Amino acid sequence: MADFMQAANQAYYAKADPLGVDGDFITAPEISQMFGELIGLWLTDLWIRAGRPNNCHYVELGPGRGTLAADALRAMQQFGFAPPVCFVETSELLKAKQSRAVPGARFVAGVDELPFDVPLLVIANEFFDVLPVRQLVSTHAGWRERVVVRDRGAKFMATPGMHAMDEMVPTEFRNAPSPTIYETCPAASTIMYELAGRVASQGGAMLIADYGYTMPGIGSTLQAVKGHQYADPFENPGEQDLTAHVNFVELANLARMRHLRVSGPVEQGGWLTALGIGARAEALIAGQPERAAEIAAARERLVDSAGMGSLFKMLGVTNMDWPEPEGFEIDQHLG
């Protein structure tokens, strides 16, 4: 399954820009400038309270069109904060758009190529959900890894593999009835552990925005999106976006293993509200009254539970020598 998902997404992102109304899905930065601006202010607040270190780098994982970074950096510059920018990106098509949005950005293919001697301010917006997942399924013969094969009609389909995988399933789920699915994402764990180690040794912070779950669980979360509609994940590989829900419990625990401060996860709507999205929307409307309805609708879509407000979560990770971040009040904590 992981190999299938990785190959499909590599082909998908290599040949098209999937974002926007004319694409397959839309992300928070493309809905409104307010999202990126508030992230920029969140980073600036940390930087100021950390003593304004002059060697911080802004790092974004999978920065889409560069929209979030452009909005965040514009907000940061208002306070005299203009860090060097580093994008972790492999799509040549998206690199071209990111270069236009953020001239001078440096590109790297992986987190291992990030600088080792400076504090890192890392943003990961809808990055971890596209990383390939492994799925284990309970059968009458025990747990097996799901593999992708072709049926007689040459259609792709998932089926239990041959090798016993019982030891990879947590004890609390091991006796689940057939065909229960347990999902893991080794790629996400590897990247998170590496980045957490960097923040621990170099200083800085990390903010993860994504949809996912905050308690360990079972069940398949693999999904496909095409033309803003859900689709069969096994149809037309390379022609649609494949994602899976992010395990925030695993990411938070990996950060704790690196002796970092973990804040959240909290719901995106509550986080944006705590950072002042209401006041920012009012300011935008005052300056552009003809766009009042559009700006208000965008704010609602970002914060309302019927939109992205509850499904999407925010997880903050900071070096213990850095200040505690804003937006993660205790009464919003989800686990």
Side-chain angles (χ1 to χ4, degrees):
M1 182 70 72
D3 292 342
F4 173 82
M5 184 174 176
Q6 182 175 16
N9 275 345
Q10 283 180 343
Y12 175 72
Y13 282 96
K15 65 184 178 183
D17 177 359
L19 297 166
V21 176
D22 297 329
D24 292 325
F25 58 90
I26 189 167
T27 60
E30 304 294 334
I31 293 172
S32 171
Q33 69 188 72
M34 294 182 286
F35 185 79
E37 289 172 344
L38 289 176
I39 288 178
L41 295 176
W42 184 84
L43 293 172
T44 301
D45 173 70
L46 280 174
W47 173 71
I48 291 173
R49 290 189 288 128
R52 300 175 183 260
N54 61 12
N55 56 348
C56 291
H57 278 50
Y58 175 98
V59 175
E60 190 169 341
L61 312 180
R65 293 172 171 171
T67 305
L68 189 161
D71 292 336
L73 292 164
R74 184 177 64 252
M76 295 158 73
Q77 287 168 359
Q78 295 179 14
F79 296 86
F81 187 24
V85 177
C86 193
F87 288 155
V88 180
E89 181 60 75
T90 57
S91 167
E92 294 300 325
L93 185 150
L94 290 176
K95 281 183 187 179
K97 296 193 174 187
Q98 293 157 12
S99 293
R100 290 194 291 271
V102 185
R106 173 192 168 201
F107 293 95
V108 299
V111 297
D112 58 320
E113 297 179 28
L114 294 172
F116 281 89
D117 56 351
V118 297
L120 302 177
L121 299 175
V122 183
I123 303 299
N125 178 57
E126 293 198 51
F127 170 79
F128 284 100
D129 63 275
V130 302
L131 298 179
V133 295
R134 297 179 68 182
Q135 291 187 336
L136 310 180
V137 58
S138 63
T139 72
H140 297 298
W143 287 85
R144 301 289 186 267
E145 183 158 16
R146 289 184 95 197
V147 298
V148 179
V149 300
R150 288 183 182 271
D151 65 14
R152 293 181 180 179
K155 182 181 183 295
F156 288 104
M157 60 179 292
T159 188
M162 299 296 293
H163 301 293
M165 304 294 287
D166 299 69
E167 294 302 317
M168 290 191 63
V169 179
T171 304
E172 63 265 35
F173 302 137
R174 206 164 287 173
N175 294 324
S178 175
T180 300
I181 291 174
Y182 175 70
E183 204 168 69
T184 67
C185 187
S189 299
T190 299
I191 292 171
M192 185 65 187
Y193 191 70
E194 169 70 14
L195 283 171
R198 295 294 202 90
V199 172
S201 63
Q202 298 172 219
M206 183 174 180
L207 182 68
I208 299 170
D210 226 315
Y211 55 89
Y213 48 96
T214 59
M215 294 294 290
I218 52 179
S220 173
T221 69
L222 179 68
Q223 63 186 34
V225 173
K226 182 69 175 178
H228 301 273
Q229 301 291 327
Y230 289 113
D232 184 339
F234 302 106
E235 287 187 357
N236 305 313
E239 301 293 332
Q240 55 194 10
D241 184 45
L242 297 185
T243 65
H245 284 219
V246 174
N247 185 344
F248 280 98
V249 181
E250 174 76 1
L251 298 185
N253 285 339
L254 288 166
R256 292 187 181 101
M257 289 173 62
R258 292 293 205 174
H259 307 291
L260 296 176
R261 178 191 298 111
V262 174
S263 302
V266 297
E267 292 180 352
Q268 175 180 291
W271 189 84
L272 291 171
T273 299
L275 264 65
I277 192 172
R280 181 55 181 147
E282 291 176 3
L284 287 174
I285 290 171
Q288 304 174 77
E290 72 281 1
R291 296 182 57 222
E294 174 193 342
I295 293 167
R299 187 196 72 83
E300 284 300 308
R301 185 170 179 184
L302 291 173
V303 304
D304 194 81
S305 58
M308 301 175 70
S310 295
L311 176 62
F312 281 74
K313 312 297 190 298
M314 311 296 287
L315 178 69
V317 174
T318 47
N319 183 287
M320 294 299 286
D321 293 331
W322 278 55
E324 292 192 27
E326 295 292 338
F328 295 95
E329 286 74 10
I330 189 66
D331 61 342
Q332 294 185 52
H333 196 278
L334 302 176

